[in-house]
Structures are given as C-alpha cells and as structure tokens.
Amino acid sequence: MTASTTRCAVLGDPVEHSLSPALHRAAYAWLGLEGWHYDPVRVPGGTLPDFFDGLGPEWRGLSLTMPLKRELLALADERGWEVSGRARAAGGANTLVREAAGWRGDNTDLPGAVAAVRERHDGPVQRVLVLGGGATAASIGLALCDLGAREVTLLVRSADRAAETLRTVAAHTSAPDVRALEPAAVQHDGGEAGGVPAADVLVSTVPADAQDPGLLSACGAALLFEAVYDPWPTPLAAAALDRRTALVSGLDLLVHQAALQVEQFTGRSVPVEVLRSAGEAALAARGHG
C-alpha cells in the first residue's frame, strides 16, 4: 500500500462468500479510481472494537454484514460516532464512512430494498410475511412499511432472537404477528393453510436448507423477496420462477445497497447495472450462472 492508497472492506463472519468485493471493485474501476482497494475481512462478533483500534488513516469506508450490523450501533454510541436516523430506525447499520469529523454509520439496506422492490414490482405490499428475525429481516420489513405494508407476520425459529426485529417493525406499523417457523407443518393449499397467513409479499432471510417452497403457494404472495443469493436458486426462488411470481433476489438488494455505499464512500455515483453485471459474473464463476 502506498501513501495514495484508499482502503475499504466488507466485515463479517463468515465473509469469504461475499459478493461485495466484486461489486465495489467494479465500481471503482468504472469510476477510474486508481489506488482504491476493497477486500473481505473476517471480523468475528464481539471483536469490532479491536478491529477499529488497528485502522490507519488510509481507511475510508466499510460494509458490515452478519453478525455486526447491530453491534455497530452500540459501538458508535460508545465512541460518539454519528449514526443516521434510518440506521437507528432499522436497528442496525451496514455502512460506515470516515469523514473529517470521524466515522458515520448508515443503513443502505433499507433504501436499497425499496429500490429493489420497485424495480421488479409495482403492485400492493400491504400484507407481508417475513421468514427470519435478524437485522436483514428488520431492514427489509421496514422498507416494506415505507412502501405501504400494514400487516406484517414474522415466521421465526426463535422468538427471543427476533425481539429486536419485532420492536423495529412494531414502531412503524401495527404490532407484527410472530409465529414459529415450522416448514413441515405447512399445507400447500393456499389461504390460511397450516397457519400461514395470506400475503402480498413473502420475504425470506433464512438459509436455503430452512426453506419450504410450499410457503409461496400457501400465502399466495405476488412477490417473493429472497435475500439469499448463493446458492441460487433457493427452493423458494425456484418455486417463484416456476410460478412466474415476481422475484427480487439477494443480488438485487446487494447491488442497490452497494450503489448507495459507493456513492457515500467516493462521492460519485455508478449505474446499478455495472454492479449487477459484476455480481452475475462472480456468481457464474462460482458455478451459479
């Protein structure tokens, strides 16, 4: 690294699978930013303070993924960093930018999810069924509230672990319903079958091996928002493709939120298609294209 080097990274654990390096590197190349680097850095939960203590002045921007999005808010408060209102509303920050006055936290998942939905779907989003209760579920759920969601149901494996997401969504719409995620109990004949409520949008933030594709027909959703992008297609995504149901993929979310991160890191914008092409190429290289 030289004096003119600018460093950015995605932090998380695990992080080796992340497509963010492919997206950001493509953006920096398109912008002609020589000397800009973006790398995956493994940062286990609970070690975020130690990571920041070791950063030099060449560091400019950071993307955060599991399990750090919520940890960052506590660290920001402890160290007096600025945090955007939408990051606090979502209960997690996925973006950190170094400015003259210090680090600033933000959440680009929320506006990225709004943009991803409206790119693929212009129908109603009043009734939402969300699989999972982590920080990504909170951001997407909040984004759908911004788009008009009035009834939100969370299907979760652990109600205790979903408590923060429940509070986040409850602050922006009527109190969400919380039910146990039990795929084996789902009956695939529509409506309220198997205790699955009808929904305009089905959101999945759970791993592929925790999915029951029958949920899509059981809830009757016109849109699937599948936050996972690898492996692809997931069982739910395959069901959506078979049914010709509108589909927002994890890659769609990733490219829209990454475009917003790039703008914050560099002060310049890049077309979403530049990032999407880079992501598709990276997935194809993994054998998922």
Side-chain angles (χ1 to χ4, degrees), residues 69-101:
K69 293 181 181 181
R70 287 175 172 157
E71 286 187 24
L72 179 57
L73 290 187
L75 181 61
D77 288 341
E78 178 184 312
R79 300 199 174 186
W81 297 340
E82 179 185 353
V83 175
S84 71
R86 64 189 179 196
R88 293 203 181 278
N94 74 326
T95 304
L96 202 62
V97 185
R98 190 178 230 158
E99 299 180 337

Side-chain angles (χ1 to χ4, degrees), residues 219-248:
C219 72
L223 171 68
L224 170 67
F225 195 135
E226 170 56 90
V228 172
Y229 59 78
D230 188 8
W232 190 263
T234 64
L236 277 168
L241 292 169
D242 286 344
R243 292 167 55 90
R244 300 186 182 275
T245 298
L247 173 62
V248 174

Side-chain angles (χ1 to χ4, degrees), residues 118-133:
R118 283 310 181 214
E119 181 183 31
R120 304 292 188 189
H121 179 68
D122 60 3
V125 296
Q126 294 185 355
R127 301 171 301 173
V128 177
L129 178 61
V130 183
L131 311 185

